[in-house]
């Protein structure tokens, strides 16, 4: 099943901006970009993203991010859906950082197999279900080596923009970020979710080699400053699952 693996490698810049400023910024980028075709038919022109992140009791992945390790990676289950009460495709992903470049590797998994990710005592079953898939093999090895288990569930809404001039240049605006301690992707206990960075949006800029000049000028106009922010880290801190000791 190795042919089902998808690889991404790119640079990612992130900015945390208050909602009012983000709206103004979004009006500006509409002069240069358009909605991703995926959201064209959606009423609110955005879609929900749900991720279940894995770490160990010692929060190794959390502190790798906090400490700014040049090479690090984390594991997550992710789904995208136009309706929060249902799931479309489900992916298992490894997202990492090597120097300044972000990479992501993912494989589509069957919803019926989620129990083998969520109950780590059964994760060896995945080796038979996804034979020869090095992402799954690496995850099972990491579970045994690092004692990984599901820790926190992160939800947010995403509005993506793409460029008609550069297919590798992409901007997303994420808001309504919420988190809850959980061990399963299909946790419907929405009432217990905690809001994270309320009143702010996370703007992510993704590209292969360079950003266009108009974007440079826009960043200077709004005086945006890049931030090293992780939704996983924010969620863990909001849920009191980990403490930033830096």
């Amino acid at each position: 099943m190795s042919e089902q693996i998808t690889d991404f490698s790119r640079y990612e810049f992130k900015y945390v901006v208050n909602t009012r400023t983000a709206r103004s910024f979004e009006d500006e980028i509409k002069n240069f970009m358009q909605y991703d075709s995926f959201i064209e038919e959606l009423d609110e022109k955005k879609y929900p993203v749900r991720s279940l992140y894995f770490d160990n009791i010692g929060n190794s992945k959390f502190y790798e991010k906090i400490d700014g390790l040049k090479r690090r990676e984390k594991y997550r289950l992710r789904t995208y859906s136009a309706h929060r009460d249902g799931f479309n495709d489900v992916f298992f992903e490894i997202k990492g950082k090597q120097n300044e470049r972000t990479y992501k590797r993912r494989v589509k998994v069957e919803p019926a197999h989620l129990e083998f990710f969520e109950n780590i005592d059964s994760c060896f079953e995945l080796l038979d279900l996804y034979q020869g898939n090095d992402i799954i093999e690496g995850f099972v090895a990491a579970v045994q080596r690092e004692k990984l288990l599901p820790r926190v569930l992160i939800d947010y809404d995403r509005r993506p923009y793409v460029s008609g001039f550069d297919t590798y240049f992409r901007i997303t605006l994420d808001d309504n970020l919420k988190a809850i301690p959980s061990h399963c992707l299909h946790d419907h206990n929405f009432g217990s979710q905690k809001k994270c960075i309320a009143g702010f949006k996370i703007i992510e800029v993704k590209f292969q080699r360079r950003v266009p000049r108009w974007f440079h000028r826009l960043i200077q106009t709004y005086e945006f400053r890049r931030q090293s922010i992780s939704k996983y880290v924010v969620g863990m801190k909001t849920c009191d699952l980990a403490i930033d000791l830096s």
Side-chain angles (χ1 to χ4, degrees):
M1 299 184 69
S2 59
E3 69 275 12
Q4 297 185 12
I5 293 175
T6 305
D7 290 278
F8 304 86
S9 179
R10 60 197 177 194
Y11 294 99
E12 294 185 359
F13 292 172
K14 298 181 181 180
Y15 308 88
V16 181
V17 181
N18 68 67
T19 301
R20 182 177 179 180
T21 302
R23 288 198 191 104
S24 177
F25 173 81
E26 189 173 0
D27 288 339
E28 295 276 7
I29 67 173
K30 287 179 180 177
N31 296 316
F32 304 94
M33 307 182 75
Q34 59 271 355
Y35 293 135
D36 188 313
S37 60
F38 181 76
I39 65 169
E40 283 289 354
E41 298 182 0
L42 301 180
D43 292 338
E44 296 185 357
K45 298 296 186 286
K46 58 184 178 181
Y47 59 85
V49 181
R50 165 167 283 204
S51 301
L52 178 66
Y53 287 90
F54 294 78
D55 205 338
N56 52 35
I57 297 300
N59 300 324
S60 297
K61 302 301 181 184
F62 176 89
Y63 288 112
E64 284 177 6
K65 170 62 178 177
I66 293 296
D67 294 340
L69 296 188
K70 292 296 184 181
R71 182 175 177 83
R72 59 183 184 271
E73 60 185 19
K74 55 180 176 282
Y75 301 89
R76 68 190 182 198
L77 284 166
R78 170 165 285 192
T79 188
Y80 308 84
S81 173
H83 305 283
R84 287 198 181 279
D85 58 353
F87 295 103
N88 290 334
D89 293 338
V90 177
F91 300 92
F92 180 74
E93 300 182 343
I94 299 175
K95 186 172 184 182
K97 191 93 175 229
Q98 187 166 6
N99 296 321
E100 294 300 317
R101 200 170 181 88
T102 297
Y103 65 87
K104 182 170 70 174
R105 308 187 71 221
R106 74 181 187 186
V107 58
K108 184 177 177 180
V109 299
E110 293 295 328
H113 299 161
L114 288 177
E115 62 177 299
F116 303 118
F117 291 95
E118 297 164 350
N119 181 2
I120 58 172
D121 292 333
S122 303
C123 70
F124 282 108
E125 299 288 341
L126 295 170
L127 298 178
D128 291 329
L129 294 169
Y130 300 89
Q131 294 183 20
N133 190 295
D134 65 323
I135 292 180
I136 299 299
E137 291 174 350
F139 170 67
V140 173
V143 167
Q144 302 304 307
R145 182 178 63 252
E146 303 176 47
K147 308 302 181 185
L148 300 179
L149 67 160
R151 296 298 311 278
V152 67
L153 190 66
I154 306 289
D155 277 320
Y156 58 90
D157 295 317
R158 166 162 288 180
R159 178 175 292 129
Y161 287 87
V162 295
S163 171
F165 305 100
D166 182 354
T167 56
Y168 296 105
F169 183 67
R170 178 180 178 88
I171 294 178
T172 58
L173 290 90
D174 301 335
D175 65 352
N176 196 28
L177 183 65
K178 297 178 181 179
I180 184 175
S182 182
H183 67 277
C184 59
L185 187 67
H186 54 273
D187 192 328
H188 290 289
N189 193 15
F190 297 122
S192 299
Q193 286 182 309
K194 294 185 177 181
K195 292 184 178 181
C196 309
I197 57 172
F200 291 84
K201 294 188 179 185
I202 299 175
I203 298 173
E204 296 188 5
V205 181
K206 305 167 186 183
F207 60 97
Q208 288 288 350
R209 295 182 179 84
R210 59 183 179 274
V211 298
R213 292 181 179 179
W214 65 262
F215 181 77
H216 272 300
R217 291 194 295 267
L218 203 57
I219 289 298
Q220 292 172 351
T221 298
Y222 281 87
E223 299 182 340
F224 285 173
R225 296 290 180 267
R226 287 173 54 189
Q227 296 189 36
S228 178
I229 184 170
S230 162
K231 297 182 184 72
Y232 165 66
V233 167
V234 170
M236 289 284 283
K237 289 163 57 175
T238 300
C239 294
D240 296 322
L241 294 173
I243 300 174
D244 184 354
L245 301 175
S246 61

